[in-house]
Amino acid sequence: MFDTKVAIVLRNDLENWQSLNVTAFLMSGIVAQFPDIIGEPYIDRDKNIYNPLSRQPAIVLAADPVTMGKIHRRALERGVTASLYVEEMFATGHDAANREVFSQFAPDDAKVVGIALCAEKRATDKITKGARMHP
């Protein structure tokens, strides 16, 4: 049905609140990169209007820190722009602080806790190789 695949990969040692927080942040990056992924507003029987949602499902995976680093490198090597969340962002409180702490790391030393991407299906599968379905 879709030529592309949305995948969110979370580090497998996060607290539940961290996993949910990171998932929300990462998916917002996918929507920013691909605004046409958003469908039409939802309307219930009483004609109340709700926000539109993604037209395409997203798979949520989990991986250990070493595999997270490999996934990050594969995305960069293939030129796939990804959403990325590093561990140090948990200690910040707003977007400017997030970007400031993010800028202090390079791919070789970033403690990646989450990565999301939308790419052609096979490319997504190759990039996320080694990750498993999130529990």
Side-chain angles (χ1 to χ4, degrees):
M1 179 176 231
F2 299 100
D3 294 334
T4 59
K5 185 175 191 177
V6 177
I8 300 170
V9 187
L10 304 171
R11 200 172 70 193
N12 63 3
D13 62 351
L14 299 179
E15 297 289 330
N16 285 337
W17 73 267
Q18 292 173 317
S19 292
L20 295 169
N21 181 268
V22 171
T23 300
F25 272 100
L26 294 176
M27 191 62 191
S28 71
I30 297 297
V31 171
Q33 184 182 10
F34 300 99
D36 60 329
I37 202 169
I38 297 300
E40 297 296 320
Y42 283 71
I43 304 172
D44 68 18
R45 185 178 62 222
D46 290 341
K47 306 298 183 220
N48 296 302
I49 299 173
Y50 301 87
N51 289 330
L53 303 175
S54 174
R55 295 182 294 120
Q56 184 172 351
I59 186 170
V60 181
L61 305 168
D64 60 63
V66 172
T67 305
M68 293 296 293
K70 290 177 183 177
I71 292 168
H72 183 198
R73 282 190 297 283
R74 288 182 202 132
L76 292 171
E77 288 166 359
R78 287 173 172 78
V80 173
T81 302
S83 303
L84 196 73
Y85 200 102
V86 297
E87 186 174 296
E88 291 76 10
M89 291 166 68
F90 286 127
T92 64
H94 55 86
D95 184 54
N98 280 344
R99 285 184 280 109
E100 172 61 30
V101 73
F102 188 94
S103 71
Q104 296 172 17
F105 299 93
D108 291 340
D109 64 354
K111 292 181 234 162
V112 177
V113 298
I115 186 168
L117 56 109
C118 179
E120 187 272 326
K121 286 180 182 180
R122 272 194 241 155
T124 299
D125 289 341
K126 287 179 181 181
I127 291 168
T128 60
K129 183 179 177 185
R132 303 285 176 242
M133 289 298 291
H134 193 278

